Amino acid sequence: METGIKNVRYGTDKIFEEAEDFLPLLGTDYVELYVGNAKQSAHFYKTAFGFQSLAYAGLETGVKDKTSYVLQQDKIRLVLTTPMTPDGPINEHINKHGDGVKVIALWVEDATKAWEETTSRGAKSFMEPTREEDGDGYVVRSGIHTYGETVHIFVERNEYNGIFMPGYKEWKSHYNPEPVGLKYIDHMVGNVDWGQMNTWVDFYAKVMGFAQIVTFDDKDISTEYTALMSKVMSNGNGRIKFPINEPAEGKKKSQIEEYIEFYKGAGCQHIAVATDDIVTTVSAMRDRGVEFLYVPNTYYDDLKSRVGEIDEDVEVLKEHGILVDRDDEGYLLQLFTKPVVDRPTMFFEIIQRKGAWSFGKGNFQALFEAIEREQENRGTL
Ligand code: FE2
């Protein structure tokens, strides 16, 4: 199916003439994961990823049905939420999907207008515009459904001066591991089922005014066994980028198909977080127990011929398994964690951009081969 959306160049002054501005987005406000044990997940993200304690909501703040821990590192906020009762939508989500991303919250000037603009263009409402207030001011939130059971919540917080949102109190802890240098969310990837990529590309174009910036097809990204197709959607100012993947036909099971099978449907595959110094960030995370995908040493043999001159010492990159890719504007360094949950579903990407605007297309092949070795170990290839 043709979407009729033109590919648009990225990285120049006027980022996307194609993107429409009926939905101005200031950035990612927070990402909320539904998890089986929020207290222990929070400890993991503090210890292993260098997040800091920010806020808490639960019995002590008058919330009876769920507990949420909010963590922060520079501009990134993670909310980890667990249910306190044996039934209800949070339980159902965890039961079906395992731990995973429920909410990709977007920071807006006007959450009511964001909801009206998107629902009038066909979005299914998740939450009508709702004003929440306490002694520190008020927040207005609204929400719409996206792929799978994932939702977008629009957060308007210009009139709020509290720690996070009404209903939360500051979370003070004596345990405060150093940050590892994670700065902001660069992009978040959605995996959707066979034949669904263009449906969701259309959704982001029509409902949210995004433009398509990159396409990969199965000729770009495939190994002997598995393949995927991917299109990248971005909002007008380039702060919000959502690649959408669907499986493609291969001799054996695609990693996207494996995700869909274990997540029981579409969902967020990875959160890419930016750093200014990937070597320092990745070595700190490794020291703290984060597992990264194995990159074969042979990947580095022809690195210079693929990407040309780079500032980094190839031996150092090889030691840390850091991947490099170049586009017409510069290059990028990236690395992927193994899944951070028990099912082979959600993982993180660490990315450092040195001028490049793209997503590491040249590394997909290497990444795929690395992931297939992992799939082989799990017996799910
Ligand atoms: Fe990515």
Side-chain angles (χ1 to χ4, degrees), residues 252-304:
K252 291 194 180 180
K253 189 181 290 173
S254 152
Q255 56 157 299
I256 311 304
E257 202 181 348
E258 184 195 35
Y259 175 101
I260 302 266
E261 191 177 300
F262 279 89
Y263 199 72
K264 303 295 171 199
C268 175
Q269 179 208 38
H270 73 265
I271 305 174
V273 286
T275 171
D276 291 338
D277 180 356
I278 196 165
V279 173
T280 302
T281 297
V282 165
S283 51
M285 291 174 74
R286 258 192 221 285
D287 287 348
R288 294 158 179 229
V290 177
E291 297 174 313
F292 290 94
L293 281 188
Y294 167 76
V295 179
N297 280 341
T298 48
Y299 170 87
Y300 297 92
D301 294 348
D302 61 345
L303 186 68
K304 278 258 163 72

Side-chain angles (χ1 to χ4, degrees), residues 14 16-25 113 117 121 205 208-210 235-237:
K14 196 164 186 188
F16 308 125
E17 289 178 13
E18 293 286 318
E20 294 182 52
D21 57 3
F22 60 79
L23 182 63
L25 301 175
K113 183 169 180 287
E117 294 284 359
R121 287 173 170 80
M208 296 182 67
F210 282 31
N235 81 317
N237 62 20

Side-chain angles (χ1 to χ4, degrees), residues 99 118 123 137 163 182 223 266 289 309 367:
D99 288 6
T118 50
I163 193 77
L182 303 178
T223 63
E309 280 308 311
L367 169 68

Side-chain angles (χ1 to χ4, degrees), residues 114-342:
W115 185 84
E116 287 167 357
E117 294 284 359
T118 50
T119 53
S120 71
R121 287 173 170 80
K124 189 177 150 206
S125 176
F126 172 71
M127 177 185 186
E128 288 189 12
T130 306
R131 183 180 157 126
E132 297 152 290
E133 60 183 299
D134 63 15
D136 292 313
Y138 70 87
V139 168
V140 181
R141 291 193 298 158
S142 63
I144 58 170
H145 290 267
T146 178
Y147 49 78
E149 292 192 296
T150 316
V151 301
H152 290 307
I153 286 187
F154 302 113
V155 184
E156 171 189 331
R157 54 166 70 253
N158 312 356
E159 300 299 325
Y160 193 67
N161 298 310
I163 193 77
F164 178 54
M165 279 198 296
Y168 288 81
K169 67 168 190 178
E170 187 177 6
W171 171 24
K172 285 198 179 124
S173 173
H174 74 277
Y175 178 62
N176 305 297
E178 282 285 300
V180 299
L182 303 178
K183 300 278 181 196
Y184 60 87
I185 293 177
D186 186 275
H187 59 277
M188 289 182 69
V189 178
N191 278 349
V192 300
D193 216 332
W194 294 93
Q196 294 297 303
M197 177 179 69
N198 284 332
T199 304
W200 291 103
V201 163
D202 278 347
F203 169 87
Y204 281 107
K206 286 177 187 154
V207 170
M208 296 182 67
F210 282 31
Q212 184 183 322
I213 55 174
V214 192
T215 306
F216 307 130
D217 64 22
D218 49 354
K219 285 172 223 57
D220 293 324
I221 308 165
S222 64
T223 63
E224 190 187 349
Y225 294 120
T226 72
L228 69 74
M229 294 196 284
S230 184
K231 289 182 176 176
V232 181
M233 302 303 289
S234 173
N235 81 317
N237 62 20
R239 292 186 197 174
I240 307 295
K241 295 185 284 287
F242 294 140
I244 307 289
N245 295 336
E246 75 170 47
E249 217 49 81
K251 280 189 197 162
K252 291 194 180 180
K253 189 181 290 173
S254 152
Q255 56 157 299
I256 311 304
E257 202 181 348
E258 184 195 35
Y259 175 101
I260 302 266
E261 191 177 300
F262 279 89
Y263 199 72
K264 303 295 171 199
C268 175
Q269 179 208 38
H270 73 265
I271 305 174
V273 286
T275 171
D276 291 338
D277 180 356
I278 196 165
V279 173
T280 302
T281 297
V282 165
S283 51
M285 291 174 74
R286 258 192 221 285
D287 287 348
R288 294 158 179 229
V290 177
E291 297 174 313
F292 290 94
L293 281 188
Y294 167 76
V295 179
N297 280 341
T298 48
Y299 170 87
Y300 297 92
D301 294 348
D302 61 345
L303 186 68
K304 278 258 163 72
S305 64
R306 278 201 304 112
V307 301
E309 280 308 311
I310 53 173
D311 302 334
E312 292 74 16
D313 182 343
V314 173
E315 282 308 310
V316 173
L317 300 181
K318 185 174 173 177
E319 184 190 325
H320 294 285
I322 294 165
L323 305 167
V324 190
D325 197 28
R326 184 177 282 281
D327 61 29
D328 49 2
E329 307 274 337
Y331 67 96
L332 61 83
L333 304 142
Q334 66 186 165
L335 183 54
F336 302 87
T337 71
K338 291 186 181 180
V340 291
V341 293
D342 298 303

